């Protein structure tokens, strides 16, 4: 793996004792957990926020959208800044911005202040999360340790959202919605203090012959406009609405200008050579498709539990715990063994197949569904599949990356996940709503109409994951380092 040996000389932390490196990993994961929890913990508190601050039904979405636009728009830029200025510097800066913004969110006394603070929170979240995967692969250059470390990170990044559902319900019901933000203050401060002590400061590669300001403006603008298009006009007006089409064309134009700029710039912000890696490109395509399917299903699955089966916020959080537990067990304890035994590609394909099967089963959940019969088996399959495939996917995504591009590749993986999740949610929610409305107009009972709409979204999500399986089988190739290590492990075990 390229993102390993060359960096050792630049990062003394990788040469230190194992304890310091694993403690650094836990600090990185603590920072990531704050970011991941925030996405779902806020959704649970939205009704209370609306009642307290006087949001309209239309404006309430901006509590989520303001964060997503800043977060999704800045991930790629933040990852590259980590390469240029030092990843610890960007990580700590992001934590500080996120923590301060969280306090401002908790203190917000008006809708406008909360939306502005949420935008600032999204900036901090992007700075923090964009560089984490790049830091992990440099901290753990040895294949076995790297696979284990990525497994821990994958669990936090993938399963933290369901923990947020539970935490949001507890905090909102037991205290108030303000505390879903205030809780970040002690966690954020403690994480920053320990990070400065444990994570060795790294020196970035610098800006070289000059800063690619036009490239930074173009890619950030393109991603922000793109995310805005997905979460606002596309979700509310439809994909064929004139405003949606106009903004989509603007996004594509900005992306085209960015590509031209990067191809001709003396010191590009995002060197296009990074996309020559078949493994990196395939991993990001799979990341986008799987995120679209999984994130949309967690959201729409929650709506099925709430609107059809009558669950409250706390019950929904508890319902998703099997996914979290299974994913955590596999990611932390067994993902490294699977990758070292079979290479990364086979666990990736197997995990995606399990997720697709789970989504197919979810299309059979009836109006009067029983949790243990119709829901829990699906969530167990999703947890099993996610725990197997996501650590392998992240490892493959960073496998061919050079040390000086680790932050960029990390930010790219985050960007494709974020954009894929937003796009998947918008498409699946729109299809479900359209199906429900058409059936309701035809005279079908409300619960039947809702369930049928959710079934359609579950089926489409399954097809997205199936497409990811096809890419994994045809595009992805095991890295030689992984294959060699796996073969070595097999020989040693046989001996």
């Amino acid at each position: 793996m390229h993102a390993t040996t060359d960096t050792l000389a630049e990062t003394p932390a990788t040469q230190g004792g194992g304890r310091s490196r694993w403690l650094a990993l836990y600090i990185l994961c603590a920072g990531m957990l704050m970011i991941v929890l925030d996405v779902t913990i806020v959704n649970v508190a939205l009704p209370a926020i609306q009642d307290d601050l006087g949001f309209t039904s239309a404006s309430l979405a901006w509590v989520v959208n303001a964060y997503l636009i800043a977060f999704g728009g800045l991930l790629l830029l933040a990852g590259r800044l980590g390469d240029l200025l030092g990843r610890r510097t960007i990580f700590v800066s992001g934590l500080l911005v996120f923590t301060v913004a969280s306090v401002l969110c908790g203190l917000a006394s008006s809708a406008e202040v909360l939306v502005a603070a949420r935008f600032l929170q999204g900036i901090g979240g992007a700075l923090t999360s964009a560089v984490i995967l790049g830091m992990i692969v440099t901290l753990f250059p040895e294949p076995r340790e790297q696979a284990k470390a990525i497994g821990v990170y994958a669990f936090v990044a993938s399963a933290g959202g369901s923990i947020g559902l539970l935490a949001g319900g507890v905090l909102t019901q037991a205290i108030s919605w303000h505390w879903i933000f205030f809780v970040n203050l002690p966690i954020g401060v403690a994480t920053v203090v320990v990070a400065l002590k444990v994570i060795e400061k790294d020196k970035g590669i610098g800006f070289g012959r000059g800063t690619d300001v036009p490239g930074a403006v173009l890619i950030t603008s393109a991603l922000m406009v793109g995310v805005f298009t997905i979460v606002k006009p596309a979700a509310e007006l439809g994909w064929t609405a004139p405003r949606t089409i106009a903004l989509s064309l603007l996004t594509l134009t900005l992306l085209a200008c960015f590509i031209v700029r990067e191809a001709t710039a003396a010191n590009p912000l995002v060197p296009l050579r990074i996309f020559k890696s078949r493994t990196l490109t395939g991993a990001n395509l799979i990341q986008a498709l799987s995120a679209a399917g999984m994130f949309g299903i967690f959201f729409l699955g929650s709506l099925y539990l709430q609107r059809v089966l009558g669950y409250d916020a706390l019950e929904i959080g508890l319902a998703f715990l099997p996914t979290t537990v299974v994913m955590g067990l596999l990611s932390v304890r067994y993902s490294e063994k699977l990758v070292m035994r079979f290479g990364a590609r086979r666990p990736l394909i197997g995990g995606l197949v399990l997720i697709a099967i789970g989504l197919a089963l979810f299309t059979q959940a009836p109006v009067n569904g029983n949790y243990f019969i119709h829901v829990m088996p699906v969530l167990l399959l999703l947890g099993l599949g996610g725990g197997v495939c996501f650590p392998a996917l992240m490892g493959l995504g960073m496998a061919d990356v050079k040390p000086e591009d680790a932050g960029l590749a990390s930010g790219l993986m985050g960007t494709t996940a974020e954009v894929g999740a937003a796009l998947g949610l918008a498409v699946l929610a729109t299809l479900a709503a359209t199906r429900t409305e058409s059936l309701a107009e035809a005279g079908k009972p409300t619960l039947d109409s809702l369930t049928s709409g959710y079934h359609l979204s579950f089926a489409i999500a399954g097809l997205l994951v199936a497409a990811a399986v096809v890419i994994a089988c045809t595009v992805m190739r095991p890295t030689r380092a992984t294959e060699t290590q796996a073969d070595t492990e097999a020989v040693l075990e046989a001996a």
Side-chain angles (χ1 to χ4, degrees):
M1 293 186 181
H2 286 297
T4 56
T5 55
D6 293 342
T7 313
L8 291 177
E10 302 173 10
T11 312
T14 62
Q15 299 174 346
R19 286 186 180 180
S20 63
R21 290 187 296 119
W22 286 102
L23 182 56
L25 172 67
Y26 301 146
I27 294 303
L28 293 174
C29 288
M32 189 65 192
L33 185 60
M34 286 178 60
I35 309 304
V36 175
L37 287 177
D38 185 80
V39 176
T40 50
I41 202 172
V42 171
N43 287 332
V44 176
L46 285 177
I49 292 174
Q50 181 179 17
D51 293 340
D52 194 15
L53 298 185
F55 278 95
T56 64
S57 297
S59 64
L60 184 63
W62 280 103
V63 177
V64 176
N65 292 346
Y67 180 90
L68 289 178
I69 291 170
F71 186 77
L74 289 170
L75 270 172
L76 190 60
L77 175 61
R80 192 54 174 166
L81 287 176
D83 294 329
L84 299 174
L85 302 177
R87 293 171 203 129
R88 192 191 76 162
T89 298
I90 297 301
F91 175 75
V92 172
S93 299
L95 280 176
L96 289 173
V97 172
F98 186 87
T99 303
V100 171
S102 296
V103 175
L104 294 177
C105 288
L107 294 174
S109 57
S110 68
E112 293 77 12
V113 171
L114 180 59
V115 170
R118 286 285 288 164
F119 187 87
L120 183 62
Q121 216 182 10
I123 295 174
L127 292 171
T128 300
S129 60
V131 297
I132 292 178
L133 190 56
M135 296 173 76
I136 290 175
V137 298
T138 57
L139 278 170
F140 298 91
E142 194 272 322
R144 176 182 287 278
E145 287 191 335
Q146 187 178 107
K148 186 175 183 180
I150 289 178
V152 175
Y153 167 77
F155 164 63
V156 172
S158 303
S162 56
I163 300 175
L165 290 172
L166 181 59
V170 171
L171 289 173
T172 302
Q173 293 182 15
I175 311 177
S176 74
W177 66 265
H178 299 275
W179 282 93
I180 67 173
F181 298 111
F182 286 146
V183 74
N184 290 329
L185 177 59
I187 300 174
V189 171
T191 304
V192 168
V193 171
V194 179
L196 291 173
K197 292 183 178 181
V198 173
I199 302 175
E200 194 77 24
K201 185 175 182 179
D202 57 316
K203 183 179 180 181
I205 61 177
F207 288 103
R209 288 164 285 180
T211 307
D212 184 17
V213 175
V217 172
L218 285 170
I219 189 59
T220 303
S221 300
L223 290 172
M224 283 191 172
V225 173
V227 174
F228 171 78
T229 304
I230 293 169
V231 301
K232 189 64 176 174
E236 296 180 1
L237 304 176
W239 290 96
T240 58
R243 189 179 181 189
T244 304
I245 294 174
L247 288 173
S248 298
L249 291 174
L250 176 59
T251 300
L252 294 175
T253 301
L254 289 170
L255 285 173
C257 292
F258 169 72
I259 293 172
V260 172
R261 168 64 189 178
E262 299 309 281
T264 57
N267 187 34
L269 179 74
V270 180
L272 298 182
R273 57 176 164 74
I274 194 172
F275 296 104
K276 292 181 180 179
S277 168
R278 179 172 175 173
T279 302
L280 175 67
T281 302
N284 277 278
L285 289 174
I286 295 169
Q287 177 88 309
L289 290 168
S290 59
M294 286 285 284
F295 188 82
I297 287 312
F298 278 124
F299 179 80
L300 293 167
S302 297
L303 291 181
Y304 167 76
L305 294 176
Q306 179 187 26
R307 296 179 180 178
V308 177
L309 300 188
Y311 286 29
D312 61 28
L314 187 57
E315 288 173 331
I316 292 173
L318 291 171
F320 277 96
L321 275 183
T323 302
T324 305
V325 173
V326 173
M327 191 177 293
L329 181 64
L330 286 171
S331 298
V332 176
R333 296 208 52 178
Y334 297 105
S335 64
E336 166 258 332
K337 296 178 181 178
L338 289 172
V339 170
M340 298 314 300
R341 178 64 181 84
F342 300 106
R345 182 171 173 267
R346 279 182 279 180
L348 171 62
I349 294 171
L352 290 173
V353 169
L354 289 174
I355 293 173
I357 293 173
L359 294 174
L361 287 178
F362 217 176
T363 63
Q364 305 304 309
V367 171
N368 57 346
N370 179 281
Y371 173 77
F372 294 101
I373 297 175
H374 303 107
V375 179
M376 188 173 178
V378 172
L379 298 181
L380 288 173
L381 282 172
L382 295 183
L384 184 62
V388 170
C389 78
F390 289 141
L393 176 61
M394 292 175 187
L396 283 171
M398 302 296 292
D400 292 337
V401 177
K402 295 181 179 179
E404 62 269 23
D405 295 329
L408 171 60
S410 175
L412 183 61
M413 291 289 288
T415 300
T416 53
E418 181 68 19
V419 174
L423 184 59
L425 177 57
V427 171
L428 295 178
T430 300
L431 291 174
T434 302
R435 178 70 171 269
T436 297
E437 290 172 6
S438 65
L439 292 175
E441 291 174 356
K444 198 167 185 178
T446 300
L447 291 182
D448 289 336
S449 299
L450 283 170
T451 303
S452 183
Y454 296 142
H455 284 175
L456 176 62
S457 67
F458 299 156
I460 300 299
L463 291 176
L464 291 174
V465 177
V469 173
V470 173
I471 294 175
C473 293
T474 58
V475 176
M476 302 298 289
R477 291 179 299 192
T479 59
R480 292 182 180 179
T482 304
E483 286 181 324
T484 302
Q485 186 70 22
D487 292 341
T488 302
E489 292 295 325
V491 172
L492 291 176
E493 288 178 6

